[in-house]
């Protein structure tokens, strides 16, 4: 009886929901705009409010309409934390983000903000490549509702089908995988959708959904070794599309790095820290200073050395990577690292 109670408790623990977030966006300099958030299309004249966003990276594109012509005003990413409300302003193609209202938004928000949200047409970006953005909010919410009274095996089938058809973001995957009852089913499903993840560099966050550390290590090894081209032997996935990557020549942006740093700090063992770090940077870039900060979280010098050497190909400013040598306790490990450079 005690064992059954423990298993039920673990299953409930794995399904803890994340708090939704809000993005308020003000557009200055024109009269009519088309806004695409995660591939969904919205029309607005000046301001718009996006409710119930899940934490993580969201794609944002803004097109300004002038008479019979249109021009791209902004195209990039916004990173939103759990339960956060952000206020963004786009002026002359530049996006500024703040956690406080700078006066561009009324409080309380007028009803037309919600109308704009409710009347979105769920269209894709003009290039028609929905894989760039993961599931639309409409598709995601529909799938989440379908999960409510489904077994794990049915959830896995629906998840794989929708992910292959629409693509899926790491944060969408994390939220949906939390809805599985058993860790083994969660692991198999996470492996199967790897090819469909649009931001594979962030997929390490799904590791937080596992109850058992052995399954988490299994998952991290899978995406670290096989990337997006192997689904762990659980059927055949279609080839992963060539997703566009953000401009990361200067390393990770601040918010993305904070997510990675927090994930590394949560780990109890160096091996898991190594897997998380390498998984995150193999599909992107990281700066010397950022990598140095991550290496300080390691407990043992030899594990720090292995990770530091493995990260060399992914450092955006290799000329500065010597600074990571200061993290080593023993001089022979520091010298081995410098020799590897």
């Amino acid at each position: 009886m005690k064992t059954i109670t423990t298993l039920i408790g673990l299953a409930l623990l794995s399904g803890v929901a994340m708090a939704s977030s809000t993005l308020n966006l003000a557009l200055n300099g024109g009269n009519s705009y088309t806004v695409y958030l995660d591939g969904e299309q919205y029309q607005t004249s000046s301001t718009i409010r996006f409710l119930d966003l899940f934490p993580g990276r969201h794609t944002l594109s803004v097109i300004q309409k002038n008479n019979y012509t249109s021009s791209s005003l902004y195209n990039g990413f916004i990173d939103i934390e759990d339960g956060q409300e952000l206020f963004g302003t786009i002026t002359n193609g530049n996006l500024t983000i703040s956690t406080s209202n700078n006066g561009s938004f009324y409080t309380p928000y007028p009803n037309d903000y919600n109308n704009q949200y409710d009347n979105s047409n769920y269209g894709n970006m003009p290039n028609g490549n929905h894989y760039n953005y993961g599931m639309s909010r409409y598709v995601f919410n529909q799938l989440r509702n379908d999960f409510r009274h489904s077994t794990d095996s049915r959830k896995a089938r629906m998840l794989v089908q929708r992910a292959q058809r629409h693509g899926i973001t790491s944060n969408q995957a994390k939220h949906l995988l939390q809805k599985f009852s058993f860790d083994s089913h969660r692991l198999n499903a996470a492996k199967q959708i790897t090819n469909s993840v649009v931001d594979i560099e962030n997929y390490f966050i799904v590791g937080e959904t596992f109850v058992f550390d052995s399954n988490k290590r299994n998952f991290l090894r899978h995406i670290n070794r096989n990337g997006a081209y192997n689904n762990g032997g659980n059927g055949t996935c279609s080839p992963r599309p060539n997703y566009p990557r953000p401009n990361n020549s200067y390393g990770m942006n601040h918010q993305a790095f904070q997510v990675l740093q927090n994930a590394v700090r949560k780990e109890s063992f160096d091996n898991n820290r190594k897997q998380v770090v390498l998984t995150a940077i193999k599909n992107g870039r990281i700066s010397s200073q950022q990598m140095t900060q991550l290496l300080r979280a390691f407990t043992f010098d030899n594990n720090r050395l292995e990770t530091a050497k493995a990260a060399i190909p992914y450092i955006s400013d290799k000329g500065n990577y010597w600074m990571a040598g200061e993290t080593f306790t023993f001089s022979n490990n520091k010298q081995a690292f410098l020799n590897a450079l």
Side-chain angles (χ1 to χ4, degrees):
M1 182 67 183
K2 181 177 179 181
T3 302
I4 295 175
T5 303
T6 302
L7 289 174
I8 293 175
L10 290 173
L12 291 175
L13 179 62
S14 68
V16 176
M18 295 178 293
S20 60
S21 303
T22 301
L23 171 64
N24 307 283
L25 189 64
L27 305 166
N28 300 324
N31 297 320
S32 179
Y33 301 91
T34 300
V35 179
Y36 296 91
L37 183 69
D38 297 331
E40 296 179 26
Q41 179 179 316
Y42 303 83
Q43 304 294 332
T44 185
S45 58
S46 58
T47 54
I48 188 169
R49 189 184 194 201
F50 298 100
L51 304 172
D52 298 325
L53 298 178
F54 289 96
R57 171 164 290 182
H58 297 264
T59 58
L60 176 67
S61 296
V62 178
I63 296 175
Q64 181 177 349
K65 297 181 179 179
N66 293 313
N67 297 325
Y68 299 102
T69 63
S70 61
S71 59
S72 177
L73 191 63
Y74 181 82
N75 186 27
F77 297 89
I78 291 182
D79 291 304
I80 301 178
E81 297 178 5
D82 191 16
Q84 186 179 44
E85 181 165 14
L86 292 180
F87 298 86
T89 303
I90 295 180
T91 305
N92 297 326
N94 296 316
L95 172 66
T96 57
I97 291 289
S98 175
T99 55
S100 59
N101 191 342
N102 60 5
S104 299
F105 303 91
Y106 296 105
T107 304
Y109 298 97
N111 291 331
D112 61 343
Y113 286 9
N114 291 328
N115 290 339
Q116 291 164 2
Y117 175 89
D118 292 338
N119 292 336
S120 62
N121 63 14
Y122 302 107
N124 289 317
M125 289 294 294
N127 62 12
N129 187 0
H130 53 256
Y131 281 104
N132 295 353
Y133 308 98
M135 296 179 189
S136 69
R137 190 178 296 112
Y138 174 78
V139 172
F140 175 79
N141 287 336
Q142 186 180 54
L143 181 56
R144 185 176 56 173
N145 290 334
D146 291 341
F147 268 29
R148 290 181 177 177
H149 305 291
S150 299
T151 62
D152 275 3
S153 59
R154 178 169 170 77
K155 289 175 185 175
R157 288 195 300 271
M158 291 189 295
L159 177 59
V160 172
Q161 290 172 356
R162 302 287 177 85
Q164 288 179 341
R165 181 177 180 181
H166 301 279
I168 189 170
T169 68
S170 295
N171 283 283
Q172 289 172 340
K174 177 181 178 181
H175 182 82
L176 293 171
L177 288 166
Q178 284 178 323
K179 304 300 182 183
F180 282 65
S181 301
F182 296 99
D183 233 28
S184 58
H185 298 160
R186 182 179 295 113
L187 176 61
N188 288 334
K191 288 182 176 181
Q192 290 186 69
I193 64 173
T194 305
N195 285 5
S196 302
V197 177
V198 300
D199 57 334
I200 195 67
E201 69 275 13
N202 299 320
Y203 200 35
F204 68 89
I205 65 173
V206 169
E208 298 176 9
T209 67
F210 294 101
V211 177
F212 299 106
D213 194 62
S214 58
N215 288 329
K216 179 176 183 177
R217 291 196 301 268
N218 189 324
F219 168 75
L220 291 175
R221 284 196 300 268
H222 165 76
I223 55 176
N224 195 7
R225 292 174 181 173
N226 303 311
Y229 301 97
N230 186 301
N231 68 346
N234 298 304
T236 301
C237 290
S238 56
R240 185 172 182 269
N242 184 21
Y243 305 124
R245 300 297 178 198
N247 183 352
N248 53 17
S249 60
Y250 298 100
M252 295 184 180
N253 67 55
H254 177 71
Q255 289 178 310
F257 177 69
Q258 288 299 314
V259 172
L260 175 57
Q261 189 174 41
N262 290 337
V264 171
R265 287 173 176 172
K266 289 178 182 178
E267 296 297 340
S268 302
F269 303 102
D270 277 356
N271 186 53
N272 284 0
R273 295 186 182 109
K274 176 184 177 182
Q275 296 285 357
V276 168
V277 170
L278 295 183
T279 299
I281 68 176
K282 276 188 174 181
N283 293 277
R285 284 292 184 272
I286 190 168
S287 71
S288 297
Q289 185 176 23
Q290 290 170 338
M291 193 64 204
T292 299
Q293 292 183 52
L294 295 178
L295 290 171
R296 295 187 189 281
F298 283 70
T299 304
F300 299 104
D301 234 28
N302 59 332
N303 297 329
R304 184 179 294 115
L305 176 60
E306 290 179 7
T307 306
K309 291 168 66 175
I312 291 175
Y314 313 103
I315 302 298
S316 61
D317 55 337
K318 291 186 178 66
N320 297 322
Y321 197 34
W322 55 266
M323 68 174 63
E326 302 305 317
T327 64
F328 294 100
T329 303
F330 301 106
S331 59
N332 60 325
N333 287 329
K334 178 178 180 179
Q335 190 59 49
F337 167 72
L338 295 176
N339 290 341
L341 289 179

